[in-house]
Amino acid sequence: MVQVDAPPPADGRRRWLALTGTPLSPTIWTAVADRLDGPLWAPDVTPPTDVTDPQRRVAERIAARAREGGGTWSVVGHSFGGQVALELALAAPELVQHLVIIGSRDTPFPPFAAAADALTAGHPVDVDGALARWFRPAELDRFPGVVADITGQLRRADRAAWATALRGIARFDAADRIGAITAPVAVIAAEFDPVSPPEVMTAMARRIPGATVDVWPDAAHLSPLLHPDRLAGLLLGG
């Protein structure tokens, strides 16, 4: 079960903190949460729209909530949420027991600035382009329910917050800071992720002492979340 509004209290079990990619709902973690060994909290990662460093601002907000119950967390971040997870591990290392970064990067991705400008200008959302980046062609046919859900989320997204997150990804650069992360780190990359390809994520892992890398062949940006048994197995092994 995914808890969204409030973090679960520390009760001796491992607690999971899952951070979602923009502009998706925390409910994307539901199938994975059902396979883990403790409660999963997936807080809202919608950034304020008047900031230039949304990853850090969201991380600060989440750290304040995470401290309420005491204890530590196994933190999982996907895409924009992966960058928030990096900022969380840097700003509040006492909270992070274990860190998993999926389909994310520690260096800028400038093309997203144009995508943010298009959203701000009111241009139609390029749903087909997003789906083509996020799923392999066979997955579009195999998981029609998930694709329909994601399509709906894209069409209903808060355009201003989404644009802020995309501009944040366009300029995000933590490459010279992540070597200070002290928690064990696992990196999961997808072979056909055009924004966070394996070579980019492998280079990121090399900048973090002791980080491991798992590359999923024939996978795209959202593929790991389509295979909750495999993903949960990797998370539990960390």
Side-chain angles (χ1 to χ4, degrees):
M1 177 176 146
V2 174
Q3 297 180 230
V4 176
D5 295 330
D11 61 2
R13 292 181 296 168
R14 176 150 59 164
R15 295 180 301 171
W16 296 88
L17 170 54
L19 304 170
T20 308
T22 188
L24 301 181
S25 162
T27 58
I28 67 167
W29 299 103
T30 299
V32 176
D34 292 342
R35 292 158 170 82
L36 297 178
D37 57 354
L40 183 142
W41 175 41
D44 180 19
V45 298
T46 303
T49 58
D50 58 347
V51 300
T52 59
D53 54 351
Q55 296 91 335
R56 182 172 65 84
R57 297 300 186 92
V58 173
E60 290 172 350
R61 182 179 75 210
I62 290 170
R65 294 296 308 278
R67 289 189 179 99
E68 292 176 4
T72 60
W73 300 81
S74 289
V75 179
V76 186
H78 178 256
S79 195
F80 175 75
Q83 296 180 337
V84 174
L86 291 173
E87 291 287 4
L88 179 65
L90 289 165
E94 74 282 1
L95 294 175
V96 182
Q97 175 184 347
H98 173 229
L99 180 64
V100 181
I101 305 296
I102 307 170
S104 192
R105 56 188 296 147
D106 66 336
T107 52
F109 188 72
F112 272 2
D117 290 343
L119 283 171
T120 301
H123 296 170
V125 173
D126 183 10
V127 172
D128 290 339
L131 295 177
R133 290 194 306 273
W134 290 356
F135 299 100
R136 297 294 291 145
E139 292 171 341
L140 294 171
D141 296 329
R142 183 180 174 190
F143 301 97
V146 175
V147 172
D149 177 46
I150 296 297
T151 298
Q153 291 187 43
L154 292 174
R155 296 194 187 282
R156 296 188 301 270
D158 180 324
R159 296 173 69 100
W162 190 3
T164 297
L166 289 175
R167 289 193 181 96
I169 297 170
R171 65 171 67 95
F172 184 76
D173 193 347
D176 62 347
R177 297 186 287 128
I178 61 173
I181 293 175
T182 55
V185 177
V187 169
I188 299 175
E191 180 183 7
F192 294 105
D193 187 337
V195 177
S196 303
E199 59 269 24
V200 168
M201 296 197 71
T202 299
M204 175 176 66
R206 292 195 188 108
R207 291 188 276 271
I208 305 173
T212 63
V213 182
D214 188 282
V215 178
W216 287 33
D218 197 30
H221 187 61
L222 273 176
S223 296
L225 293 165
L226 296 176
H227 302 280
D229 285 324
R230 181 178 177 188
L231 180 55
L234 288 173
L235 299 182
L236 292 169

